[in-house]
Each structure stands twice: as structure tokens, then as C-alpha cells.
Amino acid sequence: MKIVIVGGVAGGASAATRLRRLNEQMNIVLFEKGEYISFANCGLPYYVGEIIREKEQLVVQTPEAMKLRFNIDVRVSSEVIAINAEEKELEIHDLKNGTRYKESYDTLILSPGATPIKPPIPGLNGDNVFTLRNIPDTYAIKDFIDHRKPKRAIVVGGGFIGIELAENLIERGIKVTLVELGNQVMGPLDFEMAALVHQYLKEKGMEIYLEDGVTSIRHEKHYSIVSLNDKTELKADMILLGLGVTPDTTLAQTANLVIGKRGGIQVDKSLRTSNADIYAVGDAIEVIDFVNGKPTLMPLAGPANKQGRIAANSICGIKDEYRGTQGTSVLKIFDLTVSSTGNNEKTLKTLNIHYEKSYTHSLSHAGYYRGATPISLKILFSPTDGTILGAQAIGYTGVEKRIDVIATAIRAQMTVYDLETLELSYAPPYSSAKDPVNMAGYVASNILKREHEIIHWHEISNLDKTTALLIDVRTPQEFSLGTIQGALNIPLDELRDRMQKIPKNKEIILFCQVGQRGYVAYRILIQNGYTNVKNVSGGYKTYLAAVQEQSNRDVFRYEELHNE
């Protein structure tokens, strides 16, 4: 039996090695258009930033090593340009010598990946304009920085690759301007969580233009001018595009494979395409969203690796199914960690899925042990049975650990009530007796059990101030540093003594810094005859992050940078 795989890296390489482990007699051929069959694509930005210093560290597997250990016929610099599905034959372009030839197969696995989005913007072909998708792209960016010594770079796009590139450029001493068409960076996050990232990026010296896009790039002798939608013109030494990727379905279309509504190759649970002899894995395919059951695109390395293994199992007669992707991800931004899993509010609203949400800002470990830092954790859950639909977390330590726990809970279709009961490891340097995941479960469960009525940050502006009273239960010192406009300061520890000043005929809106003291105040008032009381979920911290100015335009002056 002859298996031909098109494309290496995560999906194709994992399929090839799994096939060999299952069948020593199989004839396995792997074609890769580039020079590298398996490389650390998630590590590429860190080579630019010189966190990874040796080129060899980027290469996970070489053709020679794969041949020696797995007896796989690897052909790099070989582009598969067409599939004749009826004849079960491929047309190959040998890029090194310019020749073309045909190759037969019994079963075909497609792993072509995705291609960077490059909109039709005039000026994108300049020698100082880059995208980052593979090792040659990485070398080109680093060589430009090493030899041209740019002082200002513009990164277009605030997704994973854009943020990682921006961070690593700053690590190289380059002033970075980030331009994002949407109103936030990091699409998997909801706005108020992304707002925490915006403030941190500004603290790190990044200039941010939100809700603006690039219309053209004009190249002058010593610099380029980037024009934005609002007619702003920004000068830069280099421009990097991080606008995301789109499934590479060019080859699939030559075989008349069915392409799904989201633009990816349509596959079944065993990763078989509409042609029984062709499988597809990785960034090029549509997968089922594990949470909502709808087709989606999820270009992540972890799922691609698993898909390669499942396709190999299916080919070898081992019953295996891909149960869907929930989009669990993590991103390092300097010292900050941003992580998420499952669906966000934008997705749930689009699909008309009812949900509730809660926020907690628990410490990463016991507060009395040095180094504890807050983890801002948002969870989304069903308002009827508490099934967990998604989670997002931002902090400095232990963030990904908590999201991984919740990702596991989503996979097991657990509820917020289950989060309360999880027995998680505890020692003062690592957690608290009530772990942040437990705390998120307690808060969400109280909401569902109507033991805690809440109001969210975006609902504050709609309050009727004639019938509602805002009470800030923080200390006078905290209150003096900033509060919600119109709020009355009654510290929690004075609440019982000053309760007579709080009218019972008004809606009482309580808040503190993160929500916990507001909850205690809520319980006090409810048990003293107050019936119309709510606590601001996530407290003043969540509210302030979302309502303050997100951009910080006009921070850098190109001429000033070059006169330093």
C-alpha cells in the first residue's frame, strides 16, 4: 500500500510517523514545498527576538533523520500542483531542478496548511514588508533587522502572530506601532478582557491604533509611509503583516473535493474528505466546534498533530474519530500570559446561544506567600444547567494551568457546579486552598442559584440614576483614586452602621475592586430587608479596563526616533 502525504509540519509529519509505527511494510512518501518538513512554527517570532538564538533549534525533524528512523521517502522543495483523483495520481513540480513528474498513490493525505492573508493593498511588495509563516520568512525578517537596524516598525494585525512579532521587535529595541482594524486585539478574547491586554501593551511602550486599517503603503528612499483609513500617515522602517491566515485549498480544488462554508476542506470524523481515498488534516480543514457543534476554522498546532494521528489510524483500520476543537490557546506577552478555551461571547451571540458570565480576580497562589499575582478569569456558562461554554484568563503566573483545567472540564461536559468540587493541588507557592478555578465555580454557581444578583460593566451606563444608587464599598483611599461616576462611598466594614442611609426604594448597585467585597455587602443588605440589590461582576477593575481609552495614538515621531 502506498500512502502519499502532501505537506509536513504538524499534521503531515505526525501522520507519516504514526503510519510507520503502525505498519512497517507501507510505502510512505511525503512531499513538502519548502525546505523544511517539520519546524517549530510557534517558535519563529522568538528567533526574530533572539530568545531562540540558534537556527538549528527551529528544526524539529530533518528529511535525513526521518528517513533513517522511520524509512519515509521525504521530498522537500517539491510542490504538488494538481491531483488527478480518478487516476489517483499527483503532478509534482521539483522546485530545485524545475522538472515535473507524476506520482501515484493508493491513499492520499493532504496537509497543505494555511496561507497568510495579504489584502490588495498598494505597496505590499516592498523589500521592507514581511509576513511570517515559515523559516525563510523568519530568516528574512531577522536579517533585515540585523543589517538595516530599523528604529520603527508597524505591525498590521493584533492577533497571535501580530502580538508575538510586536513583542519580539520591542525586545530588539525597535519602537512598534500596532494597527488593528477591529476594536480590540486578540480575537478569542472578549472586549473587556482584551482591554486588560491593551493597557499592558501601552505600559510596555507600544503605540496602538484600534478601529483603523491600512489603505496603502508608499515607499520613499529611506522609509515607507503607511496610510490609514482615517487619513493618518505613519512613517516606518519596516512593516509586518499579521492579519491571520486562510486555508490553502488550491490543491484540494483540483481534485474537486468539497469545500465547506467556512472555506476549509470538508472532512468527516475520521478526517476523510468527500473522496474516499483522500484524507485532510491541519489548518486547511474545517473542524467541528466542540462547544457549539458548528463547522469552524481552527489553525492550531495541537489539533493538527492529533488529526494526523487519527487519519493514520483510520487508514490502518483502527477506529478513531476527531471529536472537535475547542480552541484552547495560550500567548506570552512579555511577562503576561493570555489564555482561553471554548467559545467567547461574540461566538455565542452570533449563534444565538444563551449564556451567563462571571468574572473573578483571584490570586495565583496564597497571598501570604511572596510573589502572588492576580489572575483575571472570565467564564461563560449555560444559564439553565451551568454547562461551561468557555473561559478566558489573563495574569502573570499560573494562568495556563487554570485554563487547562477548565478546558478539560469542557471536554468532559462539566458544569460550574463541578468546578466548585474539583480537588486541585494546593501548597502556598502554587495555589490557595480555594483555587482560582474553584472560586470561579463558586461565583458562577451563586449566580445560577440566585444567591448573588449581578450587573455587568456594560450595563452601568444604562442605569437610571434617579432610581438607582451606586455604592462603592472600597476604602476611602481606594475611592479617592477613582470610582464610577456618581457613586457613594460606604466602606464594607462601615456598611451595617450606615445602612439607615441607604434607601430601600431604590435599586442598589454595589461594587468593590474585584467583586468579592461587593458580594459580602450584597449578602448583608439582602438579609436586612433590601430586595433590589446587584453587585458589579468583576468589580471596578473590570469596569475601568473596559471603559477607559484603549488606543494611544501619536506616541512616536519618526524623525525624533532617528535623531536619537
PDB file of all heavy atoms in Angstrom, residues 126-130 140-152 172 174 219-224 236-239 558 562:
ATOM      1  N   GLY A 126       7.033  45.830  -1.173  1.00  0.00           N
ATOM      2  CA  GLY A 126       8.310  46.452  -0.826  1.00  0.00           C
ATOM      3  C   GLY A 126       9.236  45.480  -0.119  1.00  0.00           C
ATOM      4  O   GLY A 126       8.785  44.524   0.527  1.00  0.00           O
ATOM      5  N   ASP A 127      10.545  45.722  -0.207  1.00  0.00           N
ATOM      6  CA  ASP A 127      11.504  44.804   0.397  1.00  0.00           C
ATOM      7  C   ASP A 127      11.561  44.929   1.916  1.00  0.00           C
ATOM      8  O   ASP A 127      12.255  44.177   2.587  1.00  0.00           O
ATOM      9  CB  ASP A 127      12.909  44.996  -0.204  1.00  0.00           C
ATOM     10  CG  ASP A 127      13.497  46.375   0.113  1.00  0.00           C
ATOM     11  OD1 ASP A 127      12.808  47.208   0.748  1.00  0.00           O
ATOM     12  OD2 ASP A 127      14.655  46.612  -0.279  1.00  0.00           O
ATOM     13  N   ASN A 128      10.823  45.892   2.469  1.00  0.00           N
ATOM     14  CA  ASN A 128      10.745  46.026   3.922  1.00  0.00           C
ATOM     15  C   ASN A 128       9.367  45.648   4.467  1.00  0.00           C
ATOM     16  O   ASN A 128       9.010  45.991   5.590  1.00  0.00           O
ATOM     17  CB  ASN A 128      11.085  47.461   4.346  1.00  0.00           C
ATOM     18  CG  ASN A 128      10.079  48.479   3.811  1.00  0.00           C
ATOM     19  OD1 ASN A 128       9.343  48.199   2.860  1.00  0.00           O
ATOM     20  ND2 ASN A 128      10.060  49.661   4.400  1.00  0.00           N
ATOM     21  N   VAL A 129       8.589  44.930   3.647  1.00  0.00           N
ATOM     22  CA  VAL A 129       7.261  44.449   4.057  1.00  0.00           C
ATOM     23  C   VAL A 129       7.330  42.929   4.190  1.00  0.00           C
ATOM     24  O   VAL A 129       7.738  42.235   3.258  1.00  0.00           O
ATOM     25  CB  VAL A 129       6.171  44.846   3.038  1.00  0.00           C
ATOM     26  CG1 VAL A 129       4.803  44.366   3.514  1.00  0.00           C
ATOM     27  CG2 VAL A 129       6.168  46.358   2.828  1.00  0.00           C
ATOM     28  N   PHE A 130       6.899  42.408   5.355  1.00  0.00           N
ATOM     29  CA  PHE A 130       7.084  40.983   5.629  1.00  0.00           C
ATOM     30  C   PHE A 130       5.804  40.342   6.173  1.00  0.00           C
ATOM     31  O   PHE A 130       4.968  40.995   6.798  1.00  0.00           O
ATOM     32  CB  PHE A 130       8.185  40.786   6.689  1.00  0.00           C
ATOM     33  CG  PHE A 130       9.522  41.371   6.312  1.00  0.00           C
ATOM     34  CD1 PHE A 130       9.855  42.671   6.686  1.00  0.00           C
ATOM     35  CD2 PHE A 130      10.442  40.631   5.597  1.00  0.00           C
ATOM     36  CE1 PHE A 130      11.082  43.222   6.353  1.00  0.00           C
ATOM     37  CE2 PHE A 130      11.677  41.170   5.257  1.00  0.00           C
ATOM     38  CZ  PHE A 130      11.996  42.458   5.638  1.00  0.00           C
ATOM     39  N   ALA A 140      14.419  36.104   6.800  1.00  0.00           N
ATOM     40  CA  ALA A 140      14.367  37.375   6.075  1.00  0.00           C
ATOM     41  C   ALA A 140      14.117  38.541   7.034  1.00  0.00           C
ATOM     42  O   ALA A 140      14.753  39.603   6.923  1.00  0.00           O
ATOM     43  CB  ALA A 140      13.275  37.330   5.010  1.00  0.00           C
ATOM     44  N   ILE A 141      13.205  38.351   7.984  1.00  0.00           N
ATOM     45  CA  ILE A 141      12.914  39.406   8.953  1.00  0.00           C
ATOM     46  C   ILE A 141      14.120  39.686   9.834  1.00  0.00           C
ATOM     47  O   ILE A 141      14.511  40.842  10.047  1.00  0.00           O
ATOM     48  CB  ILE A 141      11.693  39.023   9.817  1.00  0.00           C
ATOM     49  CG1 ILE A 141      10.427  38.949   8.959  1.00  0.00           C
ATOM     50  CG2 ILE A 141      11.502  40.030  10.956  1.00  0.00           C
ATOM     51  CD1 ILE A 141       9.230  38.359   9.668  1.00  0.00           C
ATOM     52  N   LYS A 142      14.728  38.608  10.339  1.00  0.00           N
ATOM     53  CA  LYS A 142      15.877  38.794  11.237  1.00  0.00           C
ATOM     54  C   LYS A 142      17.070  39.417  10.499  1.00  0.00           C
ATOM     55  O   LYS A 142      17.762  40.290  11.045  1.00  0.00           O
ATOM     56  CB  LYS A 142      16.288  37.474  11.875  1.00  0.00           C
ATOM     57  CG  LYS A 142      17.338  37.649  12.973  1.00  0.00           C
ATOM     58  CD  LYS A 142      17.574  36.378  13.736  1.00  0.00           C
ATOM     59  CE  LYS A 142      18.534  36.629  14.892  1.00  0.00           C
ATOM     60  NZ  LYS A 142      19.831  37.165  14.487  1.00  0.00           N
ATOM     61  N   ASP A 143      17.311  38.994   9.277  1.00  0.00           N
ATOM     62  CA  ASP A 143      18.417  39.568   8.509  1.00  0.00           C
ATOM     63  C   ASP A 143      18.189  41.061   8.264  1.00  0.00           C
ATOM     64  O   ASP A 143      19.125  41.867   8.323  1.00  0.00           O
ATOM     65  CB  ASP A 143      18.568  38.847   7.167  1.00  0.00           C
ATOM     66  CG  ASP A 143      19.163  37.449   7.331  1.00  0.00           C
ATOM     67  OD1 ASP A 143      19.702  37.159   8.414  1.00  0.00           O
ATOM     68  OD2 ASP A 143      19.066  36.649   6.378  1.00  0.00           O
ATOM     69  N   PHE A 144      16.940  41.436   7.976  1.00  0.00           N
ATOM     70  CA  PHE A 144      16.620  42.847   7.763  1.00  0.00           C
ATOM     71  C   PHE A 144      16.925  43.650   9.022  1.00  0.00           C
ATOM     72  O   PHE A 144      17.516  44.737   8.962  1.00  0.00           O
ATOM     73  CB  PHE A 144      15.152  42.998   7.374  1.00  0.00           C
ATOM     74  CG  PHE A 144      14.748  44.406   7.036  1.00  0.00           C
ATOM     75  CD1 PHE A 144      14.805  44.864   5.732  1.00  0.00           C
ATOM     76  CD2 PHE A 144      14.311  45.282   8.028  1.00  0.00           C
ATOM     77  CE1 PHE A 144      14.449  46.171   5.417  1.00  0.00           C
ATOM     78  CE2 PHE A 144      13.946  46.588   7.724  1.00  0.00           C
ATOM     79  CZ  PHE A 144      14.019  47.029   6.415  1.00  0.00           C
ATOM     80  N   ILE A 145      16.517  43.127  10.181  1.00  0.00           N
ATOM     81  CA  ILE A 145      16.759  43.827  11.444  1.00  0.00           C
ATOM     82  C   ILE A 145      18.252  43.908  11.745  1.00  0.00           C
ATOM     83  O   ILE A 145      18.764  44.963  12.138  1.00  0.00           O
ATOM     84  CB  ILE A 145      16.012  43.119  12.601  1.00  0.00           C
ATOM     85  CG1 ILE A 145      14.497  43.215  12.396  1.00  0.00           C
ATOM     86  CG2 ILE A 145      16.397  43.720  13.942  1.00  0.00           C
ATOM     87  CD1 ILE A 145      13.685  42.367  13.353  1.00  0.00           C
ATOM     88  N   ASP A 146      18.954  42.787  11.524  1.00  0.00           N
ATOM     89  CA  ASP A 146      20.387  42.750  11.834  1.00  0.00           C
ATOM     90  C   ASP A 146      21.194  43.728  10.980  1.00  0.00           C
ATOM     91  O   ASP A 146      22.137  44.366  11.471  1.00  0.00           O
ATOM     92  CB  ASP A 146      20.932  41.336  11.632  1.00  0.00           C
ATOM     93  CG  ASP A 146      20.403  40.349  12.674  1.00  0.00           C
ATOM     94  OD1 ASP A 146      19.868  40.816  13.702  1.00  0.00           O
ATOM     95  OD2 ASP A 146      20.511  39.137  12.443  1.00  0.00           O
ATOM     96  N   HIS A 147      20.818  43.870   9.712  1.00  0.00           N
ATOM     97  CA  HIS A 147      21.635  44.658   8.794  1.00  0.00           C
ATOM     98  C   HIS A 147      21.120  46.089   8.566  1.00  0.00           C
ATOM     99  O   HIS A 147      21.906  47.011   8.380  1.00  0.00           O
ATOM    100  CB  HIS A 147      21.754  43.934   7.443  1.00  0.00           C
ATOM    101  CG  HIS A 147      22.495  42.638   7.531  1.00  0.00           C
ATOM    102  ND1 HIS A 147      21.851  41.419   7.531  1.00  0.00           N
ATOM    103  CD2 HIS A 147      23.818  42.366   7.655  1.00  0.00           C
ATOM    104  CE1 HIS A 147      22.756  40.449   7.627  1.00  0.00           C
ATOM    105  NE2 HIS A 147      23.951  40.998   7.713  1.00  0.00           N
ATOM    106  N   ARG A 148      19.797  46.266   8.614  1.00  0.00           N
ATOM    107  CA  ARG A 148      19.242  47.590   8.334  1.00  0.00           C
ATOM    108  C   ARG A 148      18.991  48.404   9.608  1.00  0.00           C
ATOM    109  O   ARG A 148      18.748  49.613   9.531  1.00  0.00           O
ATOM    110  CB  ARG A 148      17.947  47.451   7.528  1.00  0.00           C
ATOM    111  CG  ARG A 148      18.141  46.756   6.175  1.00  0.00           C
ATOM    112  CD  ARG A 148      18.584  47.703   5.093  1.00  0.00           C
ATOM    113  NE  ARG A 148      17.458  48.510   4.647  1.00  0.00           N
ATOM    114  CZ  ARG A 148      16.609  48.153   3.695  1.00  0.00           C
ATOM    115  NH1 ARG A 148      16.766  46.996   3.071  1.00  0.00           N
ATOM    116  NH2 ARG A 148      15.621  48.947   3.349  1.00  0.00           N
ATOM    117  N   LYS A 149      18.992  47.757  10.753  1.00  0.00           N
ATOM    118  CA  LYS A 149      18.835  48.425  12.051  1.00  0.00           C
ATOM    119  C   LYS A 149      17.607  49.347  12.091  1.00  0.00           C
ATOM    120  O   LYS A 149      17.715  50.548  12.376  1.00  0.00           O
ATOM    121  CB  LYS A 149      20.082  49.256  12.388  1.00  0.00           C
ATOM    122  CG  LYS A 149      21.400  48.518  12.265  1.00  0.00           C
ATOM    123  CD  LYS A 149      21.534  47.401  13.272  1.00  0.00           C
ATOM    124  CE  LYS A 149      22.900  46.739  13.177  1.00  0.00           C
ATOM    125  NZ  LYS A 149      23.033  45.560  14.045  1.00  0.00           N
ATOM    126  N   PRO A 150      16.416  48.831  11.812  1.00  0.00           N
ATOM    127  CA  PRO A 150      15.225  49.686  11.823  1.00  0.00           C
ATOM    128  C   PRO A 150      14.937  50.228  13.222  1.00  0.00           C
ATOM    129  O   PRO A 150      15.193  49.547  14.222  1.00  0.00           O
ATOM    130  CB  PRO A 150      14.115  48.741  11.358  1.00  0.00           C
ATOM    131  CG  PRO A 150      14.593  47.381  11.764  1.00  0.00           C
ATOM    132  CD  PRO A 150      16.078  47.415  11.565  1.00  0.00           C
ATOM    133  N   LYS A 151      14.398  51.447  13.275  1.00  0.00           N
ATOM    134  CA  LYS A 151      14.055  52.044  14.556  1.00  0.00           C
ATOM    135  C   LYS A 151      12.560  52.036  14.834  1.00  0.00           C
ATOM    136  O   LYS A 151      12.145  52.080  15.980  1.00  0.00           O
ATOM    137  CB  LYS A 151      14.596  53.475  14.627  1.00  0.00           C
ATOM    138  CG  LYS A 151      16.111  53.543  14.591  1.00  0.00           C
ATOM    139  CD  LYS A 151      16.631  54.782  15.275  1.00  0.00           C
ATOM    140  CE  LYS A 151      18.146  54.691  15.442  1.00  0.00           C
ATOM    141  NZ  LYS A 151      18.685  55.880  16.141  1.00  0.00           N
ATOM    142  N   ARG A 152      11.760  52.022  13.751  1.00  0.00           N
ATOM    143  CA  ARG A 152      10.312  51.966  13.947  1.00  0.00           C
ATOM    144  C   ARG A 152       9.706  50.941  13.001  1.00  0.00           C
ATOM    145  O   ARG A 152      10.001  50.940  11.808  1.00  0.00           O
ATOM    146  CB  ARG A 152       9.661  53.322  13.710  1.00  0.00           C
ATOM    147  CG  ARG A 152       8.154  53.317  14.025  1.00  0.00           C
ATOM    148  CD  ARG A 152       7.487  54.620  13.669  1.00  0.00           C
ATOM    149  NE  ARG A 152       6.102  54.646  14.137  1.00  0.00           N
ATOM    150  CZ  ARG A 152       5.257  55.641  13.908  1.00  0.00           C
ATOM    151  NH1 ARG A 152       5.661  56.698  13.211  1.00  0.00           N
ATOM    152  NH2 ARG A 152       4.019  55.597  14.346  1.00  0.00           N
ATOM    153  N   ARG A 172      14.027  43.708  20.618  1.00  0.00           N
ATOM    154  CA  ARG A 172      15.207  44.089  19.824  1.00  0.00           C
ATOM    155  C   ARG A 172      15.449  45.599  19.849  1.00  0.00           C
ATOM    156  O   ARG A 172      16.316  46.108  19.138  1.00  0.00           O
ATOM    157  CB  ARG A 172      15.038  43.630  18.371  1.00  0.00           C
ATOM    158  CG  ARG A 172      15.003  42.119  18.152  1.00  0.00           C
ATOM    159  CD  ARG A 172      16.339  41.448  18.445  1.00  0.00           C
ATOM    160  NE  ARG A 172      17.427  41.986  17.654  1.00  0.00           N
ATOM    161  CZ  ARG A 172      17.774  41.553  16.441  1.00  0.00           C
ATOM    162  NH1 ARG A 172      17.104  40.553  15.892  1.00  0.00           N
ATOM    163  NH2 ARG A 172      18.798  42.088  15.808  1.00  0.00           N
ATOM    164  N   ILE A 174      13.234  48.008  18.977  1.00  0.00           N
ATOM    165  CA  ILE A 174      12.513  48.709  17.911  1.00  0.00           C
ATOM    166  C   ILE A 174      11.206  49.280  18.469  1.00  0.00           C
ATOM    167  O   ILE A 174      10.497  48.597  19.221  1.00  0.00           O
ATOM    168  CB  ILE A 174      12.219  47.752  16.740  1.00  0.00           C
ATOM    169  CG1 ILE A 174      13.529  47.185  16.183  1.00  0.00           C
ATOM    170  CG2 ILE A 174      11.415  48.446  15.640  1.00  0.00           C
ATOM    171  CD1 ILE A 174      13.337  46.042  15.217  1.00  0.00           C
ATOM    172  N   HIS A 219       6.513  53.819  -0.634  1.00  0.00           N
ATOM    173  CA  HIS A 219       7.914  53.630  -0.296  1.00  0.00           C
ATOM    174  C   HIS A 219       8.753  54.806  -0.780  1.00  0.00           C
ATOM    175  O   HIS A 219       8.840  55.077  -1.983  1.00  0.00           O
ATOM    176  CB  HIS A 219       8.433  52.323  -0.893  1.00  0.00           C
ATOM    177  CG  HIS A 219       7.677  51.115  -0.432  1.00  0.00           C
ATOM    178  ND1 HIS A 219       7.792  50.611   0.844  1.00  0.00           N
ATOM    179  CD2 HIS A 219       6.769  50.318  -1.066  1.00  0.00           C
ATOM    180  CE1 HIS A 219       7.007  49.559   0.975  1.00  0.00           C
ATOM    181  NE2 HIS A 219       6.370  49.354  -0.167  1.00  0.00           N
ATOM    182  N   GLU A 220       9.362  55.498   0.176  1.00  0.00           N
ATOM    183  CA  GLU A 220      10.295  56.568  -0.131  1.00  0.00           C
ATOM    184  C   GLU A 220      11.713  56.011  -0.106  1.00  0.00           C
ATOM    185  O   GLU A 220      11.922  54.808   0.102  1.00  0.00           O
ATOM    186  CB  GLU A 220      10.129  57.713   0.881  1.00  0.00           C
ATOM    187  CG  GLU A 220       8.720  58.284   0.958  1.00  0.00           C
ATOM    188  CD  GLU A 220       8.312  59.008  -0.318  1.00  0.00           C
ATOM    189  OE1 GLU A 220       9.211  59.331  -1.135  1.00  0.00           O
ATOM    190  OE2 GLU A 220       7.099  59.250  -0.512  1.00  0.00           O
ATOM    191  N   LYS A 221      12.715  56.875  -0.264  1.00  0.00           N
ATOM    192  CA  LYS A 221      14.097  56.412  -0.366  1.00  0.00           C
ATOM    193  C   LYS A 221      14.578  55.735   0.916  1.00  0.00           C
ATOM    194  O   LYS A 221      15.200  54.672   0.872  1.00  0.00           O
ATOM    195  CB  LYS A 221      15.011  57.586  -0.708  1.00  0.00           C
ATOM    196  CG  LYS A 221      16.469  57.167  -0.953  1.00  0.00           C
ATOM    197  CD  LYS A 221      17.309  58.348  -1.399  1.00  0.00           C
ATOM    198  CE  LYS A 221      18.755  57.906  -1.656  1.00  0.00           C
ATOM    199  NZ  LYS A 221      19.599  59.050  -2.084  1.00  0.00           N
ATOM    200  N   HIS A 222      14.291  56.322   2.065  1.00  0.00           N
ATOM    201  CA  HIS A 222      14.830  55.809   3.315  1.00  0.00           C
ATOM    202  C   HIS A 222      13.764  55.279   4.273  1.00  0.00           C
ATOM    203  O   HIS A 222      14.089  54.794   5.356  1.00  0.00           O
ATOM    204  CB  HIS A 222      15.649  56.895   4.031  1.00  0.00           C
ATOM    205  CG  HIS A 222      16.835  57.365   3.249  1.00  0.00           C
ATOM    206  ND1 HIS A 222      17.893  56.538   2.948  1.00  0.00           N
ATOM    207  CD2 HIS A 222      17.120  58.581   2.699  1.00  0.00           C
ATOM    208  CE1 HIS A 222      18.797  57.212   2.250  1.00  0.00           C
ATOM    209  NE2 HIS A 222      18.344  58.457   2.073  1.00  0.00           N
ATOM    210  N   TYR A 223      12.497  55.369   3.905  1.00  0.00           N
ATOM    211  CA  TYR A 223      11.435  54.913   4.791  1.00  0.00           C
ATOM    212  C   TYR A 223      10.170  54.653   3.975  1.00  0.00           C
ATOM    213  O   TYR A 223      10.115  54.934   2.773  1.00  0.00           O
ATOM    214  CB  TYR A 223      11.154  55.938   5.890  1.00  0.00           C
ATOM    215  CG  TYR A 223      10.822  57.321   5.380  1.00  0.00           C
ATOM    216  CD1 TYR A 223       9.518  57.648   4.988  1.00  0.00           C
ATOM    217  CD2 TYR A 223      11.803  58.304   5.290  1.00  0.00           C
ATOM    218  CE1 TYR A 223       9.210  58.910   4.515  1.00  0.00           C
ATOM    219  CE2 TYR A 223      11.506  59.576   4.814  1.00  0.00           C
ATOM    220  CZ  TYR A 223      10.205  59.872   4.431  1.00  0.00           C
ATOM    221  OH  TYR A 223       9.903  61.120   3.953  1.00  0.00           O
ATOM    222  N   SER A 224       9.158  54.132   4.640  1.00  0.00           N
ATOM    223  CA  SER A 224       7.865  53.899   3.993  1.00  0.00           C
ATOM    224  C   SER A 224       6.794  54.672   4.742  1.00  0.00           C
ATOM    225  O   SER A 224       6.905  54.918   5.952  1.00  0.00           O
ATOM    226  CB  SER A 224       7.526  52.409   3.982  1.00  0.00           C
ATOM    227  OG  SER A 224       8.449  51.691   3.195  1.00  0.00           O
ATOM    228  N   ALA A 236       7.631  54.504   8.727  1.00  0.00           N
ATOM    229  CA  ALA A 236       8.240  53.330   9.356  1.00  0.00           C
ATOM    230  C   ALA A 236       9.398  52.819   8.519  1.00  0.00           C
ATOM    231  O   ALA A 236       9.472  53.057   7.311  1.00  0.00           O
ATOM    232  CB  ALA A 236       7.205  52.230   9.528  1.00  0.00           C
ATOM    233  N   ASP A 237      10.293  52.101   9.190  1.00  0.00           N
ATOM    234  CA  ASP A 237      11.424  51.472   8.505  1.00  0.00           C
ATOM    235  C   ASP A 237      11.062  50.080   7.997  1.00  0.00           C
ATOM    236  O   ASP A 237      11.668  49.593   7.049  1.00  0.00           O
ATOM    237  CB  ASP A 237      12.615  51.359   9.457  1.00  0.00           C
ATOM    238  CG  ASP A 237      13.041  52.714   9.977  1.00  0.00           C
ATOM    239  OD1 ASP A 237      13.263  53.608   9.148  1.00  0.00           O
ATOM    240  OD2 ASP A 237      13.133  52.885  11.208  1.00  0.00           O
ATOM    241  N   MET A 238      10.105  49.426   8.671  1.00  0.00           N
ATOM    242  CA  MET A 238       9.669  48.104   8.215  1.00  0.00           C
ATOM    243  C   MET A 238       8.213  47.901   8.592  1.00  0.00           C
ATOM    244  O   MET A 238       7.712  48.499   9.547  1.00  0.00           O
ATOM    245  CB  MET A 238      10.555  46.990   8.798  1.00  0.00           C
ATOM    246  CG  MET A 238      10.461  46.811  10.294  1.00  0.00           C
ATOM    247  SD  MET A 238      11.631  45.554  10.966  1.00  0.00           S
ATOM    248  CE  MET A 238      11.180  44.088  10.037  1.00  0.00           C
ATOM    249  N   ILE A 239       7.527  47.062   7.812  1.00  0.00           N
ATOM    250  CA  ILE A 239       6.112  46.762   8.029  1.00  0.00           C
ATOM    251  C   ILE A 239       5.955  45.253   8.071  1.00  0.00           C
ATOM    252  O   ILE A 239       6.500  44.537   7.225  1.00  0.00           O
ATOM    253  CB  ILE A 239       5.222  47.350   6.903  1.00  0.00           C
ATOM    254  CG1 ILE A 239       5.370  48.883   6.868  1.00  0.00           C
ATOM    255  CG2 ILE A 239       3.773  46.974   7.100  1.00  0.00           C
ATOM    256  CD1 ILE A 239       6.085  49.401   5.670  1.00  0.00           C
ATOM    257  N   TYR A 558       8.615  59.694  13.892  1.00  0.00           N
ATOM    258  CA  TYR A 558       9.679  59.018  13.152  1.00  0.00           C
ATOM    259  C   TYR A 558      10.971  59.830  13.160  1.00  0.00           C
ATOM    260  O   TYR A 558      12.064  59.304  13.398  1.00  0.00           O
ATOM    261  CB  TYR A 558       9.208  58.781  11.716  1.00  0.00           C
ATOM    262  CG  TYR A 558      10.205  58.014  10.870  1.00  0.00           C
ATOM    263  CD1 TYR A 558      10.228  56.626  10.884  1.00  0.00           C
ATOM    264  CD2 TYR A 558      11.110  58.687  10.049  1.00  0.00           C
ATOM    265  CE1 TYR A 558      11.142  55.925  10.114  1.00  0.00           C
ATOM    266  CE2 TYR A 558      12.023  57.994   9.277  1.00  0.00           C
ATOM    267  CZ  TYR A 558      12.023  56.617   9.310  1.00  0.00           C
ATOM    268  OH  TYR A 558      12.929  55.922   8.547  1.00  0.00           O
ATOM    269  N   HIS A 562      14.849  58.890  14.799  1.00  0.00           N
ATOM    270  CA  HIS A 562      16.077  58.820  14.002  1.00  0.00           C
ATOM    271  C   HIS A 562      17.068  59.930  14.348  1.00  0.00           C
ATOM    272  O   HIS A 562      18.167  59.958  13.804  1.00  0.00           O
ATOM    273  CB  HIS A 562      15.728  58.847  12.511  1.00  0.00           C
ATOM    274  CG  HIS A 562      15.217  57.534  12.021  1.00  0.00           C
ATOM    275  ND1 HIS A 562      15.997  56.629  11.360  1.00  0.00           N
ATOM    276  CD2 HIS A 562      13.993  56.942  12.157  1.00  0.00           C
ATOM    277  CE1 HIS A 562      15.285  55.548  11.074  1.00  0.00           C
ATOM    278  NE2 HIS A 562      14.061  55.711  11.551  1.00  0.00           N
TER     279      HIS A 562
END
